Amino acid sequence: MLKKYEEALNKIVEEVYAFGELDEKALQLIAEGLQNQDTARLEEARRLLKGNHKANARIDMNIITTLALYAPEASDLRRVVALIKIASELSRIGDYLKAHAKNLLKQMAGSEEEEAQEADHAIRPLLTDTARAFYQSTETALHLALEAIKETDPDRLDNISRRISVEESKCDDFISILEKNMVGNICAHPDEAEELVDELHILRKLERISDRSINIVKLARYALEGGKLKL
């Protein structure tokens, strides 16, 4: 039974990892679509994330089934609990990305209709070097979080945790600069204030991706070592 349980658990780990890979791919598509003003990539990102909640529910059901069949105890139970919470973190990340892609598509459509500017003022702050660096740090943090899901070595997990903390700190700095740019644009273009405020709200949610990446590493450590779980 132990072998069958390990096989079932490994299958769930792979499922959760693949779930996270969709978030990572969607984030890459959004960053590329934004910089290239390519709506096709943004639509592809939305398509990838369309079944986000159903996929999360499917993982939860597989975990519940595993619990019912094998009734794991102690460290095995910790791993199962951690996987449920990791899947939830990844689902929330997917929600942030879907909202961001939808908002960008809406703004790009407005820009095309106006045919007056290369990109509207709500998008322009996102085409800067600071924005590109922000997306890159966010991608790196998420990628490291996915590595943590499968990591079984405490030292390597510590290294991942330190690297994500660096990226999270960088994201905080980048978002502060982007917020100032957005506020400046709101003052200069009050007629677009609604779009700019909406984009600022979405950006703040995107900044949480690095925070949730840190949570995923904490959950991975909890699964591996136990102790108190604080998110």
Side-chain angles (χ1 to χ4, degrees):
M1 188 177 78
L2 183 60
K3 182 179 178 182
K4 289 184 178 180
Y5 168 70
E6 284 297 331
E7 288 175 353
L9 191 59
N10 289 336
K11 185 177 179 181
I12 292 170
V13 170
E14 292 296 333
E15 249 188 311
V16 173
Y17 186 84
F19 188 41
E21 283 186 313
L22 291 180
D23 285 347
E24 184 179 24
K25 180 60 177 176
L27 178 55
Q28 291 168 353
L29 285 167
I30 288 171
E32 292 169 3
L34 172 63
Q35 295 304 319
N36 298 316
Q37 297 291 281
D38 185 350
T39 57
R41 294 185 187 183
L42 296 174
E43 291 287 5
E44 176 65 10
R46 292 185 70 192
R47 186 193 67 77
L48 282 177
L49 299 169
K50 187 176 181 180
N52 182 40
H53 287 228
K54 287 183 179 179
N56 190 21
R58 198 160 50 242
I59 290 170
D60 286 352
M61 183 55 65
N62 289 342
I63 290 174
I64 290 170
T65 301
T66 300
L67 285 170
L69 286 174
Y70 303 105
E73 299 179 359
S75 62
D76 289 333
L77 184 58
R78 283 202 316 267
R79 292 174 68 190
V80 172
V81 170
L83 286 169
I84 290 176
K85 291 185 174 293
I86 287 172
S88 178
E89 294 287 338
L90 293 171
S91 181
R92 293 297 298 275
I93 288 172
D95 288 341
Y96 300 155
L97 294 171
K98 278 191 292 186
H100 190 43
K102 180 180 179 180
N103 203 42
L104 289 174
L105 283 166
K106 177 183 175 182
Q107 291 176 12
M108 287 182 188
S111 249
E112 289 174 3
E113 289 173 6
E114 292 169 6
E115 295 183 356
Q117 296 177 349
E118 185 178 334
D120 67 21
H121 296 106
I123 293 179
R124 191 165 294 164
L126 301 180
L127 301 177
T128 61
D129 290 340
T130 299
R132 279 189 286 272
F134 168 67
Y135 281 102
Q136 184 57 57
S137 281
T138 303
E139 286 180 29
T140 301
L142 181 55
H143 180 76
L144 289 167
L146 295 186
E147 287 186 10
I149 293 172
K150 293 185 176 182
E151 187 54 68
T152 58
D153 182 271
D155 291 335
R156 287 199 291 265
L157 201 55
D158 283 341
N159 183 50
I160 289 173
S161 180
R162 286 191 294 270
R163 291 167 65 190
I164 288 184
S165 293
V166 171
E167 298 302 330
E168 190 270 339
S169 179
K170 286 161 65 175
C171 284
D172 285 344
D173 292 338
F174 293 140
I175 205 69
S176 294
I177 296 171
L178 289 170
E179 284 180 347
K180 290 177 182 178
N181 291 343
M182 284 289 187
V183 170
N185 272 266
I186 290 172
C187 294
H189 306 281
D191 56 316
E192 295 187 9
E194 183 177 351
E195 291 84 356
L196 286 159
V197 169
D198 191 27
E199 189 56 52
L200 183 56
H201 178 65
I202 295 295
L203 276 175
R204 285 172 176 161
K205 284 191 173 183
L206 282 187
E207 191 273 331
R208 294 178 197 166
I209 291 177
S210 58
D211 295 330
R212 293 192 177 277
S213 296
I214 288 177
N215 287 347
I216 289 171
V217 177
K218 288 180 179 178
L219 287 162
R221 177 177 282 114
Y222 170 73
L224 193 63
E225 302 174 353
K228 291 185 178 180
L229 180 60
K230 294 183 180 180
L231 299 179

